[in-house]
Amino acid sequence: MTLKEEKERIRKEIYDALFYNGFSKRPKGDYGKIPDFKGSDIAAELLSKSHEWKEAKTIFSSPDSAQIPVRYLALKENKNLIMASPNLTHGYLFLEASKISNKKEAATKEGAFIHNSKIDISNMKIDLVVEGSVGVDRKGHRIGKGKGFADREIEDLLKRNIIDKDTAIATTIHPFQLVDHVPTESHDQKINLIVTTDEIIRI
C-alpha cells in the first residue's frame, strides 16, 4: 500500500466511525472534507480553558465547520480572529472582535467575509493557531482532507514570522479522530496541541 493509499484508508475509517456511531453532522459518504462532528462545541470549550487560549490575544482558525465554535468563543471573548479563506483564495480575513456585534454570524465561513476588516495581517502576531483535522496521532502528526491547505497555511505564517516555532498549533477533534499512527511526508506540518471532547494532549 502506498503512502497516499494508507492516508486514504485512515480518512475513510475515521469518516465511517463518526457516521456509524452517530457523531457526524454530515451524511454517509460525504468524504473529502474536515469532519463536522457532534461535540465540536465541547472541544472548543475545553480548548478555551487552556493556558494557551487564555494567554492568546489573536487566534488563527481554519475555515472548517468543526471550528465554528472555536471562532465564536474567540470573538465572544473579544479576542481578535484571523481566518484563512477557503483554499486561501482570498488570503486571510481579519475579524476585530470589538467591532463586531453579531459574533455568531461572524464565526461562520460566510459571515467572516461580511465582517472582515480588510486589514493586512503581515505585521501581526498570532498567539494560537487552530486547524481542522481529519485525524491526528499523539505525536502531533496530522492528516487533513488531502489538499494540503493547513500545511500551506502554517508554512506561510512561519515564513512571514506571524507565528514561530514556539506558537501553539492546535486542533479540535472527536476522540474517534485520534489514531495510533499517521504516516507523514516531508511537507506535512505537525501540531503540538490536541483537544478532544474530553482531554487536552500537549506534544
Side-chain angles (χ1 to χ4, degrees), residues 42 83 113 162 169 171 183:
I42 298 172
M83 190 190 83
F113 280 93
I162 298 172
I169 300 178
T171 191

Side-chain angles (χ1 to χ4, degrees), residues 92-123:
Y92 303 102
L93 308 178
F94 178 68
L95 302 171
E96 192 169 356
S98 62
K99 295 183 178 179
I100 297 172
S101 56
N102 191 342
K103 291 177 169 57
K104 280 197 171 182
E105 180 182 69
T108 67
K109 183 169 57 179
E110 297 78 12
F113 280 93
I114 297 170
H115 297 279
N116 173 29
S117 293
K118 296 181 174 60
I119 295 174
D120 184 7
I121 70 164
S122 297
N123 297 318

Side-chain angles (χ1 to χ4, degrees), residues 185-202:
E185 300 173 74
S186 59
H187 65 269
D188 290 332
Q189 296 287 339
K190 290 182 70 175
I191 57 172
N192 51 42
L193 185 64
I194 301 168
V195 183
T196 73
T197 53
D198 52 25
E199 66 177 324
I200 296 176
I201 303 164
R202 292 183 173 85

